[in-house]
Amino acid sequence: QVQLVESGGGSVQPGGSLTLSCAASEIITSLNYMAWFRQLPGKERELVGGVSRIGSSNSGPSMEERMSISRVKNAVYLQMNSLTPEDSAIYYCYAADHTLPSGHQWGQGTQVTVSS
């Protein structure tokens, strides 16, 4: 079964940077779409941004200019700079493809905490 393995979360001081990584395991074909979502405390999960198999990207409500998303094969990365406490959230990797059960898959989530 395909798993989305996330890494790179943790605690950082305001103004710092983090790069979140997500890699899909147990799959050979290129996933149609991979993305990052985030869920702030007490809020709905929101799209940050995603990248398709052919490299086209889209941005969601949580994407800001100090963030960038990239993809290499079945791995997707979220680079975040100038982090603020308002960026503290659980960040989830997401993949959509017809080969996945129910057509999509979520990662387990990785916590990002920005505080001094």
Side-chain angles (χ1 to χ4, degrees):
Q1 182 178 351
V2 173
Q3 290 188 329
L4 300 177
V5 182
E6 299 149 336
S7 61
S11 296
V12 64
Q13 292 189 339
S17 298
L18 279 177
T19 299
L20 304 184
S21 301
C22 171
S25 66
E26 307 298 329
I27 189 164
I28 298 174
T29 59
S30 181
L31 293 166
N32 187 46
Y33 179 72
M34 298 187 75
W36 282 100
F37 285 71
R38 73 178 187 182
Q39 188 167 18
L40 278 64
K43 302 288 188 179
E44 298 279 324
R45 196 174 297 186
E46 281 191 342
L47 174 69
V48 180
V51 186
S52 75
R53 176 192 292 129
I54 61 172
S56 59
S57 62
N58 68 316
S59 298
S62 294
M63 177 63 82
E64 301 189 28
E65 287 188 2
R66 53 190 175 80
M67 299 177 179
S68 63
I69 191 164
S70 60
R71 177 175 174 178
V72 177
K73 296 184 180 179
N74 280 334
V76 64
Y77 307 93
L78 178 63
Q79 171 73 39
M80 300 185 290
N81 301 316
S82 302
L83 286 161
T84 72
E86 288 69 37
D87 294 315
S88 297
I90 301 175
Y91 287 75
Y92 294 92
C93 182
Y94 171 85
D97 191 87
H98 71 281
T99 61
L100 298 172
S102 302
H104 62 91
Q105 181 87 16
W106 289 96
Q108 77 280 6
T110 185
Q111 177 72 50
V112 171
T113 301
V114 184
S115 70
S116 55

